[in-house]
Amino acid sequence: MSGILGGNSKDEPMHYGEIYGVWQASMVAKGSISCYRAYLNHAGDHELKKILGTLIDQAELEVSECDKLLTDNGIGTAPALPDRPQVKLEDIPVGARFTDPEIAAKIAADVATSLVACSQVMGQSIREDIGALFAKYHMTKAALGVKILKMTKEKGWLIPPPLQVKRHETVNA
């Protein structure tokens, strides 16, 4: 294949959908870093704090990789949010605190939403490097989602939807 879409995909131009998808991923990751750092101030559970740290590390990686991709293609990046100060849990008034189950539910929802967003960018990409980058993010987020689900079950924080506990018996006629 020759022409503008031949050869190394990193040398191909990004189309508008790829540009927006990468830009939006960076912007969401920047917001997640700020939000999850605030959640670290509210969290009391050690395992939850560890997962929040992993989510922050992942978001920082995504910002770095997405912003480099945008910059390398001559596209401006979204501004970073200011760093949050660290606060002791005891200094946050009880009525203003997020509880550990609330934080866990929110990060689980964020991860589930991000899986859909990654799939969308993967599906619309014609540059293989961009599709592969978001496939990598998708796999990482899927693994984090499983960790969060397991943690919420073990700690009794999961609020399940209505469960079918009574099974219908089949009738042989």
Side-chain angles (χ1 to χ4, degrees):
M1 181 177 192
S2 62
I4 198 166
L5 298 178
N8 186 346
S9 68
K10 291 181 181 182
D11 297 329
E12 296 173 0
M14 294 172 70
H15 65 68
Y16 290 109
E18 291 168 332
I19 293 167
Y20 182 72
V22 172
W23 188 91
Q24 184 180 35
S26 172
M27 185 64 182
V28 168
K30 289 171 183 173
S32 295
I33 292 166
S34 178
C35 185
Y36 297 163
R37 284 187 178 149
Y39 286 163
L40 273 174
N41 291 332
H42 291 250
D45 183 82
H46 176 73
E47 189 177 355
L48 178 59
K49 286 182 176 188
K50 188 175 173 185
I51 289 175
L52 284 165
T54 302
L55 287 167
I56 291 167
D57 291 344
Q58 177 63 26
E60 288 172 339
L61 174 68
E62 291 173 21
V63 167
S64 171
E65 292 176 340
C66 289
D67 283 0
K68 181 177 182 346
L69 185 57
L70 292 168
T71 302
D72 289 351
N73 284 275
I75 300 155
T77 62
L81 298 170
D83 286 339
R84 289 187 174 270
Q86 287 190 336
V87 177
K88 292 180 182 174
L89 179 62
E90 306 80 40
D91 293 340
I92 303 171
V94 174
R97 283 186 207 162
F98 286 108
T99 65
D100 290 346
E102 288 173 316
I103 295 168
K106 179 64 171 113
I107 63 175
D110 287 354
V111 169
T113 302
S114 67
L115 290 171
V116 175
C118 286
S119 294
Q120 184 175 3
V121 175
M122 290 162 51
Q124 74 182 6
S125 292
I126 60 173
R127 279 186 43 171
E128 294 91 347
D129 62 320
I130 294 173
L133 182 66
F134 281 83
K136 178 182 81 166
Y137 296 160
H138 191 279
M139 288 183 354
T140 301
K141 291 170 186 291
L144 284 166
V146 170
K147 275 185 170 180
I148 295 166
L149 176 61
K150 186 176 180 187
M151 177 188 66
T152 58
K153 283 182 170 182
E154 288 173 353
K155 298 190 180 285
W157 298 342
L158 180 69
I159 300 170
L163 302 174
Q164 180 184 11
V165 290
K166 183 178 179 184
R167 303 212 188 265
H168 299 288
E169 294 181 25
T170 57
V171 178
N172 294 326

